[in-house]
Amino acid sequence: MKYLIPLAAGLVASGAAAQDPAPAAGNAEIVKPAPVASPAPEAIETSPDGSIAVRVETDGDGRVSYSVTRRGQVIVAPSRLGFLFTDQRKLDRNTRIAAVTHAKSDTSWTQPWGEWRTIRDNHKEMRVRLMETSALARSYDVVFRVQDDGVGFRYEFPQVAAGTVTNVADELTEFNFGSNGTAWWKPAFLWNREEYLYNRTPLSAVGTAASPMTVKLDGGTHVVVHEAALVDYAGMALRHTTANGFQATLTPGSGAPRVVKTGPWTTPWRTIIVADDAPGLYMSHLMLNLNEPNKLGDVSWVKPGKFNGVWWNMIKGQWSWARGPQHGATTAHVKQYIDFAAVNNIQGVLVEGWNVGWDGDWFGNGNDMNFSQPTADFDAAELQRYAKSKKVYIIGHHETGGSASHYENQFDSAFKYAADHGIPTVKTGYVTDAGQIERVDADGSKHREWHEGQWMSNHYLNVLKAAAKYHVSIDTHEPIKGTGLQRTYPNWVAREGSRGMEYNSWPGKNPPEHEANLVFTRMLEGPMDFTPGVLSLTGQNDSPIESTIAKQLALYVVLYSPVVMAADTPENYAKYPGPMKFIRDVPTDWEDTRVLNGEVGDYVTIARKVRGGRDWFLGSVTDENARTLTVDLDFLDAGRSYVAEVYRDGPNADYKTDARHSIAIEQKRVRKGDRLTLALAPGGGQAIRFRAR
Amino acid sequence: MKYLIPLAAGLVASGAAAQDPAPAAGNAEIVKPAPVASPAPEAIETSPDGSIAVRVETDGDGRVSYSVTRRGQVIVAPSRLGFLFTDQRKLDRNTRIAAVTHAKSDTSWTQPWGEWRTIRDNHKEMRVRLMETSALARSYDVVFRVQDDGVGFRYEFPQVAAGTVTNVADELTEFNFGSNGTAWWKPAFLWNREEYLYNRTPLSAVGTAASPMTVKLDGGTHVVVHEAALVDYAGMALRHTTANGFQATLTPGSGAPRVVKTGPWTTPWRTIIVADDAPGLYMSHLMLNLNEPNKLGDVSWVKPGKFNGVWWNMIKGQWSWARGPQHGATTAHVKQYIDFAAVNNIQGVLVEGWNVGWDGDWFGNGNDMNFSQPTADFDAAELQRYAKSKKVYIIGHHETGGSASHYENQFDSAFKYAADHGIPTVKTGYVTDAGQIERVDADGSKHREWHEGQWMSNHYLNVLKAAAKYHVSIDTHEPIKGTGLQRTYPNWVAREGSRGMEYNSWPGKNPPEHEANLVFTRMLEGPMDFTPGVLSLTGQNDSPIESTIAKQLALYVVLYSPVVMAADTPENYAKYPGPMKFIRDVPTDWEDTRVLNGEVGDYVTIARKVRGGRDWFLGSVTDENARTLTVDLDFLDAGRSYVAEVYRDGPNADYKTDARHSIAIEQKRVRKGDRLTLALAPGGGQAIRFRAR
């Protein structure tokens, strides 16, 4: 026997909409004569320019849903809100809108480093107070921030008493897209820590997706679903439940509740960026605006810059992290890299395998790692002196092998060691399968955590806080997803969290479309340590990389990070003096950024103006198809003349042939208003420095 | 930096196979020079007739996979095996095949009730002993049972020491189908306890599916993935991970591990039924053969039979479960139903709302339910006497509202009450959202469990064991999935676990294709209490049911259960004396069953021979399309003549019009070898009794 439950669209099973004669009630239930559903009360907020509207309503059964429209188009159809708990009744039905408050704000703030110096935060806010009509009478708020480029919302539970523990089993937030479309997505909860190629499938064929998920709705509107300010909470994935609908599902932890909160609590912001096209998605500042301001105060010690490193030879299998005849991190090798950096406007030298702990099987088992004890053949003091004499600094490396507690126990010694040795930035690593982070509690009990679970969301922030005490910045590999926290902790300079250049050394190389996918997917999370610039275009066993040289240069503009590697070896760079000039010239910190064109997974062109300078830089990349793009140079300063130093694909350039090395370098005079034609080879690209005269 | 991990097909993200230039290595990882992968050792077993082959192999990284082929066609491509734990390292890599043993068996056994009296169990078995090559050196077995109609396999951990606790976070078993195809499936983990319409989508568009999932592979081979003998374990759902691939994911519980086992342990059997066509799926005995034999001994007290009940009037909203002027379960009402049953060869009368506890909001909150205290207007002693005098028994009802612990506390009083009142069968209910079962521990702590989680898998069996002590049989509503346990506990006579007739009373009625879907999906789980026979073809507010009268009769043969309801009211049945005769005549226990034809979701025809008798019965149903089917009467006994009592759709019969009531009843002489033509109306059906002369 059953109870009247008016249908919630999000609960029509996938495909049902197409299959059921009566999908609108396909899963309704009944028992007693239906209670008469009073006209659903609702709350509405619009964006400052009125283009986007958010509507919150309750149905006859007291289930709460929100929906999003843009210029009348349904972006998100009514989608339910709610929670499952491990020890109390579901937060779902019998809820009413008890109060609604509206506010608006239009301010600007400054990034200490980034793609834009100044970020405008112009939004309207609606706070909806919800209250259960049942005896439980639980109450909570849902706060919506509506910008002209999207919507963010989060749950807030201000009424929970101090000390009261809330055990969240899962979050029931739905995202029911207004139509079918094409989705670019990566699977969630698989072993490889977000390091998957992006799938391009119909929205209806998505599995369980990690966020961000990028969608081009039928009709062309682009939408990205993600989250902002993931703090002390589990990362959200998107479980496919209906034809075009998804339900949030939180990353598990080792505990029964996926999230445990004490006292009043809030969730991260759930974000929905909406734009006419792919470039519009990239230009959104929604995620950054939803994060808290800088909590570290003066961060002049954070050092944007380029670096090379004792690394690619390991990735190619020629040097080893472990000690022995192949050991990479020797004093001699590092000095060679310092010499190279000093003469190539490269500020840092990364060294991996410099410390004790690499000799065993460290995969998923980093308990031998010592982050303040170098190997005997690595003379830290001498290298610190030598680097300083060349105006170069060492970039440190902490590979935990997933033993996070073991790392936390060494925080102070590890970061003091870095500070004492003039190391401003440390690259961290968590090489173990997703779900296999080792957590050891005070009582000695061991637990297996997920990279994106609540416990690790705290661990990754603990690293930042511990490092900040010593003025050290962090470049996290095998990280948690990026949710804009670099605004709050500006020493979080970069993350990996996707397939970087290293995959081009191995079987299963990144395809030519990869970077054009990344710009409109992974890069929306924030800076990525992709490690571009392998001009030799060869990986392990001299296997060819599916790129042209010009594309390798373009990546320095297209894929943003304040800390960017020149990944190839000094020996290889010596063979490419012409292209090397661009790597020498290109900065890593920007005043302004413009995405001039782009289609997800096909191509993209980005122009950026150097922070505190007059030069502009342009990068353009394509997929496996040759492409000719025209760009208007409207972004250049008016009344100023520039020399465009162009690095373009040369005759017959093609990622599939030896002509992948074909590059043409030329100069031309240009000014604002000129139009440039970019001819990109298959798998190719183009890089331009607009040098102000 | 990374580690060499040769690609596991199951980990290529969905769509990747179609998207990646190098999908075969799309997610490979590397670091040190790759260890040379020695030729993978393998173990192979085939079915008795050699048509099906199972292959187990390990890759260069020591990951174990199995695959299934049938007559050379790949049914299941290499699919990985393994586990995640909450407190120890993943069971995944660095594993070798340590030993392989083979066995074969060909036996038969008898069902105390069922669709077939005798079940043949002809299989070959392969036990693969796996051992980790790492320091952990964990060891386990995977046991494969290979029949000519499919494969079952399970994990066994005989080496775990007594008392040692294993905390399973999730199971990593994969099911990577050999090709794309069409899938019929229901979403898992949604609130409505399996009560969803089946979706028909491309295999590539399945979300997270409950099992069983039925698949028609490109080329036509039919496959069903499900499980057998779900005991003290969490129910398995299928998470879509690759284009045609799925990974097991276990139903959560309130505890951190989804499954907790102490000492040596085994999983349920993972089953893969393979057939040329839909009827072949239904004829498989794989699931029953993988369950343990009857543990209850003499079960002559289990009573197959028909029942009517004080129920449909509540479903229609005319009577109430709660006390008051509309109360249905009054002595007078029940006597009326007893009188009707007595003269219509109906053995039982179900009474819902007979007990104290219904007056409040019992949905998800059944703590007021008392299962041994009738309401004042229900004279249990008098009704027991009256029923007995009419050779009819009462069927009891226990609605828990999801308060499972509250129910367990009353087991003895509840089932003693039933036994004392001559009640051989009890219908149970768990009306609360999935994930909202209330469990109260000895310390008073409350937890929220899932209908298909480990704790509830034990609860549902606890009900059976407690009931068996009092010789009471159970018809579980809002149940756990069916996995063949009725073989082991023959007092588990039926389950709901899908959308039954009740949905035809409400908005969002079952579509005409529903029953043709059920036969090849839900019915593969075992008996379903569908409650057919609503000859009035009207639900709440006289809304029309999308069926013809002849189809309602056919359902008594098509949808199997040893306990079958005549769901309509005596008043309504009085209007249909002709069709009523079939309901009077049809038995509920069978000697033999033949599926004569069928396509999933389109149509199906089934013939069954009465247990211990000579008559055969035939039922045929179609979807929204009219259909003419021819069937050869080869199943009839040779040399015997029969009178076919035919109940067919009458002139202009159509589920969409008032002519849904049009039925023609006629008789003809037939014998083995004759051919019958069945003309089915849109949404129609046909029922035949072959009366032996």
Side-chain angles (χ1 to χ4, degrees):
Chain A
M1 90 242 5
K2 303 297 150 40
Y3 215 112
L4 174 67
I5 292 157
L7 175 89
L11 292 178
V12 179
S14 177
Q19 305 298 328
D20 301 357
N27 298 298
E29 281 195 2
I30 285 207
V31 132
K32 317 166 183 175
V36 179
S38 55
E42 63 179 24
I44 294 176
E45 183 60 278
T46 60
S47 64
D49 71 2
S51 62
I52 292 182
V54 175
R55 181 168 180 268
V56 176
E57 62 194 308
T58 59
D59 63 23
D61 191 48
R63 281 180 155 129
V64 187
S65 67
Y66 76 97
S67 54
V68 178
T69 57
R70 179 170 179 264
R71 300 193 195 112
Q73 179 191 5
V74 177
I75 304 302
V76 179
S79 299
R80 298 248 304 274
L81 301 169
F83 286 91
L84 281 177
F85 304 101
T86 62
D87 54 358
Q88 57 176 304
R89 286 186 79 170
K90 186 181 189 178
L91 196 58
D92 177 22
R93 298 190 190 79
N94 307 317
T95 305
R96 67 183 177 87
I97 296 176
V100 181
T101 57
H102 297 272
K104 59 187 197 178
S105 168
D106 186 358
T107 59
S108 292
W109 55 281
T110 301
Q111 298 200 97
W113 50 263
E115 299 171 86
W116 299 270
R117 180 190 295 270
T118 303
I119 302 285
R120 182 181 178 189
D121 180 0
N122 182 20
H123 68 262
K124 294 170 75 177
E125 177 178 295
M126 173 170 68
R127 174 178 295 268
V128 181
R129 168 64 50 90
L130 298 160
M131 187 163 293
E132 287 185 307
T133 56
S134 64
L136 283 172
R138 290 171 294 188
S139 168
Y140 64 103
D141 296 356
V142 182
V143 180
F144 291 85
R145 289 271 187 90
V146 191
Q147 298 188 175
D148 296 334
D149 57 4
V151 176
F153 65 93
R154 72 177 184 185
Y155 300 83
E156 298 186 8
F157 292 79
Q159 320 284 41
V160 176
T164 298
V165 174
T166 303
N167 294 302
V168 177
D170 211 347
E171 183 175 317
L172 301 178
T173 307
E174 295 173 353
F175 300 90
N176 300 318
F177 290 89
S179 74
N180 200 349
T182 301
W184 290 265
W185 60 283
K186 290 190 300 191
F189 305 146
L190 297 190
W191 63 278
N192 202 8
R193 305 166 312 262
E194 306 297 340
E195 295 177 17
Y196 295 94
L197 293 171
Y198 279 86
N199 303 309
R200 179 183 189 276
T201 74
L203 184 57
S204 59
V206 173
T208 299
S211 91
M213 177 169 74
T214 299
V215 178
K216 183 178 183 178
L217 294 175
D218 294 344
T221 301
H222 285 58
V223 183
V224 169
V225 173
H226 189 43
E227 61 186 304
L230 171 50
V231 177
D232 191 24
Y233 202 81
M236 173 183 75
L238 301 168
R239 191 158 58 81
H240 197 172
T241 51
T242 79
N244 300 326
F246 295 79
Q247 186 180 63
T249 185
L250 301 176
T251 303
S254 66
R258 296 183 180 185
V259 171
V260 177
K261 307 293 283 190
T262 302
W265 60 286
T266 68
T267 66
W269 293 92
R270 281 60 185 94
T271 59
I272 303 163
I273 300 174
V274 190
D276 290 328
D277 52 22
L281 297 178
Y282 193 94
M283 295 299 287
S284 171
H285 298 150
L286 179 67
M287 182 178 72
L288 285 171
N289 283 334
L290 291 172
N291 274 272
E292 296 295 314
N294 174 8
K295 290 185 174 179
L296 300 184
D298 171 15
V299 288
S300 54
W301 46 269
V302 174
K303 303 286 185 212
K306 288 168 285 189
F307 64 99
N308 64 343
V310 174
W311 178 71
W312 188 247
N313 272 338
M314 281 94 109
I315 295 300
K316 290 207 296 180
Q318 294 168 5
W319 289 353
S320 69
W321 284 272
R323 290 177 285 203
Q326 295 303 104
H327 189 216
T330 64
T331 304
H333 287 153
V334 176
K335 283 191 173 181
Q336 175 200 9
Y337 278 68
I338 290 172
D339 294 340
F340 177 81
V343 297
N344 284 287
N345 189 31
I346 291 172
Q347 295 73 36
V349 176
L350 165 70
V351 188
E352 297 199 359
W354 65 275
N355 63 314
V356 168
W358 290 93
D359 300 343
D361 171 7
W362 50 268
F363 180 96
N365 177 32
N367 288 308
D368 294 337
M369 292 291 184
N370 183 320
F371 303 114
S372 53
Q373 184 185 343
T375 57
D377 53 357
F378 180 88
D379 185 338
E382 167 59 13
L383 286 170
Q384 177 180 12
R385 183 200 62 76
Y386 188 76
K388 189 171 183 186
S389 73
K390 300 282 186 122
K391 300 191 164 41
V392 172
Y393 49 75
I394 301 289
I395 292 181
H397 182 241
H398 297 162
E399 174 52 56
T400 69
S403 298
S405 293
H406 175 71
Y407 186 34
E408 292 195 350
N409 295 336
Q410 292 185 62
F411 274 170
D412 277 317
S413 59
F415 293 117
K416 182 175 190 309
Y417 179 91
D420 293 347
H421 291 78
I423 295 171
T425 306
V426 168
K427 173 181 175 180
T428 62
Y430 296 83
V431 176
T432 187
D433 286 358
Q436 294 299 291
I437 293 286
E438 185 176 82
R439 160 190 168 189
V440 184
D441 287 351
D443 62 5
S445 62
K446 293 187 175 182
H447 310 273
R448 291 285 165 181
E449 299 285 353
W450 289 68
H451 287 69
E452 301 210 325
Q454 183 184 17
W455 191 82
M456 281 301 285
S457 75
N458 288 316
H459 168 81
Y460 286 111
L461 288 186
N462 292 341
V463 174
L464 296 175
K465 294 170 187 171
K469 278 193 240 157
Y470 295 90
H471 289 187
V472 172
S473 298
I474 298 296
D475 168 10
T476 315
H477 281 235
E478 299 81 35
I480 194 166
K481 68 174 72 172
T483 59
L485 286 163
Q486 68 272 23
R487 176 182 179 183
T488 312
Y489 301 95
N491 66 326
W492 204 351
V493 288
R495 297 164 41 262
E496 183 184 40
S498 190
R499 287 165 57 103
M501 179 67 71
E502 61 188 7
Y503 280 82
N504 288 330
S505 177
W506 311 324
K509 299 188 183 325
N510 296 324
E513 69 172 25
H514 186 52
E515 294 84 357
N517 265 322
L518 288 179
V519 169
F520 301 112
T521 52
R522 161 63 184 84
M523 297 312 296
L524 301 179
E525 295 179 36
M528 176 178 175
D529 184 15
F530 183 84
T531 71
V534 177
L535 302 186
S536 60
L537 298 178
T538 57
Q540 197 173 48
N541 309 319
D542 293 327
S543 54
I545 292 176
E546 298 178 350
S547 168
T548 65
I549 287 183
K551 183 177 186 178
Q552 288 295 309
L553 300 181
L555 294 180
Y556 284 87
V557 182
V558 167
L559 300 178
Y560 170 70
S561 175
V563 292
V564 181
M565 192 170 200
D568 213 336
T569 62
E571 314 85 83
N572 284 337
Y573 280 128
K575 304 172 191 163
Y576 304 95
M580 187 63 205
K581 179 175 188 306
F582 184 83
I583 296 180
R584 213 164 28 235
D585 295 342
V586 70
T588 68
D589 194 14
W590 309 100
E591 192 75 29
D592 192 10
T593 288
R594 315 277 178 89
V595 180
L596 304 182
N597 57 44
E599 288 287 346
V600 188
D602 296 338
Y603 66 93
V604 59
T605 305
I606 299 181
R608 305 186 192 266
K609 187 179 190 183
V610 61
R611 174 87 55 128
R614 299 182 307 184
D615 291 0
W616 282 80
F617 289 76
L618 178 148
S620 184
V621 298
T622 181
D623 57 8
E624 69 280 8
N625 302 307
R627 221 173 279 275
T628 299
L629 303 170
T630 58
V631 295
D632 294 324
L633 304 185
D634 301 335
F635 52 85
L636 296 175
D637 300 347
R640 191 184 302 283
S641 117
Y642 297 82
V643 175
E645 301 174 353
V646 177
Y647 302 77
R648 60 174 175 81
D649 291 318
N652 309 315
D654 188 327
Y655 77 95
K656 298 186 294 298
T657 72
D658 289 344
R660 69 182 62 86
H661 286 97
S662 172
I663 184 167
I665 303 173
E666 61 201 11
Q667 299 198 350
K668 63 178 77 164
R669 289 285 184 83
V670 298
R671 48 178 52 250
K672 180 182 178 72
D674 290 351
R675 170 168 293 189
L676 276 189
T677 298
L678 313 177
L680 311 180
Q686 188 164 147
I688 303 176
R689 175 190 185 186
F690 296 96
R691 182 159 46 80
R693 302 184 66 247
Chain B
M1 86 247 8
K2 301 299 148 37
Y3 217 107
L4 175 67
I5 292 157
L7 176 89
L11 293 179
V12 179
S14 176
Q19 304 300 328
D20 301 356
N27 298 298
E29 280 198 3
I30 286 210
V31 128
K32 317 165 183 174
V36 179
S38 56
E42 62 178 24
I44 293 176
E45 184 60 278
T46 61
S47 63
D49 71 1
S51 62
I52 293 182
V54 175
R55 182 167 180 267
V56 177
E57 62 194 308
T58 58
D59 63 22
D61 191 51
R63 280 181 156 129
V64 187
S65 67
Y66 75 97
S67 53
V68 178
T69 57
R70 180 169 179 263
R71 302 193 193 111
Q73 179 191 6
V74 177
I75 304 302
V76 179
S79 299
R80 298 245 305 273
L81 302 169
F83 286 91
L84 279 178
F85 304 100
T86 63
D87 54 358
Q88 58 176 301
R89 287 185 78 170
K90 186 180 188 181
L91 196 58
D92 177 22
R93 301 188 187 82
N94 307 317
T95 306
R96 67 185 179 85
I97 296 177
V100 181
T101 58
H102 297 271
K104 59 190 205 176
S105 167
D106 186 359
T107 60
S108 290
W109 55 281
T110 301
Q111 300 200 95
W113 50 263
E115 299 172 87
W116 300 269
R117 180 191 294 271
T118 303
I119 302 285
R120 183 182 179 189
D121 179 2
N122 182 20
H123 68 262
K124 294 170 74 175
E125 178 178 295
M126 172 170 68
R127 175 178 295 268
V128 181
R129 167 65 48 93
L130 297 159
M131 187 163 294
E132 286 185 309
T133 56
S134 63
L136 283 171
R138 290 171 295 188
S139 167
Y140 64 104
D141 296 356
V142 182
V143 180
F144 292 84
R145 289 274 186 88
V146 192
Q147 297 188 175
D148 296 333
D149 58 5
V151 177
F153 65 93
R154 73 176 184 186
Y155 299 83
E156 298 186 7
F157 292 80
Q159 318 287 41
V160 176
T164 298
V165 174
T166 302
N167 294 303
V168 177
D170 212 346
E171 183 175 317
L172 301 178
T173 307
E174 295 173 351
F175 301 90
N176 300 318
F177 291 88
S179 74
N180 200 349
T182 301
W184 290 266
W185 61 283
K186 289 191 298 191
F189 306 144
L190 298 190
W191 63 278
N192 203 6
R193 307 166 310 261
E194 305 296 341
E195 295 177 18
Y196 295 94
L197 293 170
Y198 279 87
N199 303 309
R200 178 183 189 279
T201 74
L203 184 57
S204 58
V206 174
T208 300
S211 89
M213 178 170 74
T214 298
V215 178
K216 183 178 184 178
L217 293 176
D218 294 344
T221 301
H222 285 58
V223 183
V224 170
V225 172
H226 189 44
E227 60 185 307
L230 171 52
V231 176
D232 191 25
Y233 203 81
M236 172 184 76
L238 302 168
R239 190 159 59 81
H240 198 172
T241 51
T242 79
N244 301 323
F246 295 80
Q247 185 180 62
T249 185
L250 301 176
T251 305
S254 65
R258 294 182 181 187
V259 171
V260 177
K261 307 292 284 189
T262 302
W265 60 286
T266 67
T267 66
W269 294 92
R270 281 60 185 96
T271 59
I272 302 163
I273 300 175
V274 190
D276 290 330
D277 53 22
L281 297 177
Y282 194 94
M283 296 299 287
S284 170
H285 297 150
L286 178 67
M287 183 177 72
L288 284 171
N289 282 335
L290 291 172
N291 273 272
E292 297 295 314
N294 174 6
K295 290 185 174 180
L296 300 183
D298 172 16
V299 288
S300 55
W301 45 269
V302 175
K303 302 288 185 211
K306 287 167 287 190
F307 64 101
N308 64 343
V310 175
W311 179 70
W312 188 247
N313 272 340
M314 278 94 108
I315 295 299
K316 289 207 297 181
Q318 294 169 7
W319 289 352
S320 68
W321 283 273
R323 289 177 286 203
Q326 295 303 103
H327 188 215
T330 64
T331 304
H333 287 154
V334 176
K335 283 192 173 183
Q336 175 199 8
Y337 278 69
I338 289 171
D339 294 339
F340 176 80
V343 298
N344 284 287
N345 190 32
I346 291 172
Q347 294 73 36
V349 176
L350 165 70
V351 188
E352 298 199 0
W354 66 275
N355 63 313
V356 169
W358 290 92
D359 301 341
D361 170 6
W362 50 268
F363 180 96
N365 177 32
N367 289 308
D368 295 337
M369 292 290 183
N370 184 319
F371 303 114
S372 55
Q373 185 184 344
T375 57
D377 52 355
F378 180 88
D379 186 338
E382 167 58 14
L383 287 171
Q384 177 180 14
R385 183 200 65 75
Y386 189 76
K388 189 171 183 187
S389 73
K390 301 281 184 128
K391 301 191 165 41
V392 172
Y393 47 76
I394 301 289
I395 292 182
H397 182 242
H398 297 161
E399 174 52 56
T400 68
S403 298
S405 292
H406 175 72
Y407 186 33
E408 293 195 351
N409 295 336
Q410 291 185 61
F411 274 170
D412 277 314
S413 58
F415 293 118
K416 182 175 190 308
Y417 179 91
D420 292 348
H421 292 79
I423 296 171
T425 306
V426 167
K427 172 182 175 180
T428 61
Y430 296 84
V431 175
T432 187
D433 287 357
Q436 294 300 293
I437 294 285
E438 185 177 82
R439 159 188 169 190
V440 184
D441 287 349
D443 62 5
S445 62
K446 293 186 174 183
H447 311 273
R448 291 285 164 180
E449 297 284 354
W450 290 68
H451 286 70
E452 300 210 325
Q454 182 184 18
W455 190 83
M456 281 301 285
S457 75
N458 288 316
H459 169 82
Y460 285 111
L461 288 185
N462 292 341
V463 174
L464 295 175
K465 294 170 186 171
K469 278 194 241 157
Y470 295 92
H471 288 187
V472 172
S473 298
I474 299 296
D475 169 9
T476 315
H477 281 234
E478 299 82 37
I480 194 166
K481 68 176 72 173
T483 59
L485 286 163
Q486 68 271 25
R487 177 182 179 184
T488 311
Y489 302 96
N491 66 327
W492 205 351
V493 288
R495 298 165 40 262
E496 185 184 39
S498 190
R499 285 164 59 102
M501 179 66 71
E502 62 187 7
Y503 280 82
N504 289 330
S505 176
W506 310 324
K509 297 186 182 331
N510 296 324
E513 69 171 23
H514 185 52
E515 295 84 357
N517 265 324
L518 288 180
V519 169
F520 300 111
T521 51
R522 161 64 183 83
M523 299 311 296
L524 301 179
E525 295 178 37
M528 176 177 175
D529 184 13
F530 183 84
T531 71
V534 177
L535 302 186
S536 59
L537 300 179
T538 57
Q540 199 173 46
N541 308 320
D542 292 327
S543 54
I545 292 175
E546 298 178 349
S547 169
T548 65
I549 288 183
K551 183 177 187 178
Q552 288 295 309
L553 300 180
L555 295 179
Y556 284 88
V557 182
V558 167
L559 300 178
Y560 170 71
S561 176
V563 292
V564 181
M565 192 169 201
D568 214 337
T569 63
E571 313 85 83
N572 284 338
Y573 280 129
K575 303 172 191 165
Y576 305 93
M580 189 63 206
K581 181 177 188 303
F582 184 83
I583 295 179
R584 214 162 29 236
D585 294 343
V586 69
T588 69
D589 194 16
W590 308 101
E591 192 74 30
D592 193 11
T593 289
R594 316 276 179 90
V595 180
L596 304 181
N597 57 44
E599 288 287 348
V600 187
D602 296 339
Y603 66 93
V604 60
T605 305
I606 299 180
R608 305 186 191 267
K609 188 180 191 183
V610 61
R611 173 89 53 129
R614 301 182 306 181
D615 292 359
W616 282 81
F617 289 75
L618 178 146
S620 184
V621 298
T622 182
D623 56 9
E624 68 281 7
N625 302 307
R627 222 174 278 274
T628 300
L629 303 170
T630 59
V631 295
D632 296 323
L633 303 184
D634 300 336
F635 52 84
L636 296 175
D637 300 349
R640 189 184 301 284
S641 125
Y642 298 82
V643 175
E645 301 174 353
V646 178
Y647 301 76
R648 60 174 174 83
D649 291 319
N652 310 316
D654 189 327
Y655 77 95
K656 296 185 296 296
T657 72
D658 289 345
R660 68 182 63 88
H661 285 97
S662 173
I663 184 168
I665 303 174
E666 62 200 11
Q667 299 197 350
K668 63 179 75 167
R669 289 286 187 82
V670 299
R671 47 178 52 249
K672 180 182 177 74
D674 290 351
R675 169 169 292 188
L676 276 189
T677 298
L678 312 176
L680 310 180
Q686 189 164 145
I688 303 175
R689 175 191 186 186
F690 296 96
R691 182 159 46 82
R693 301 185 65 250

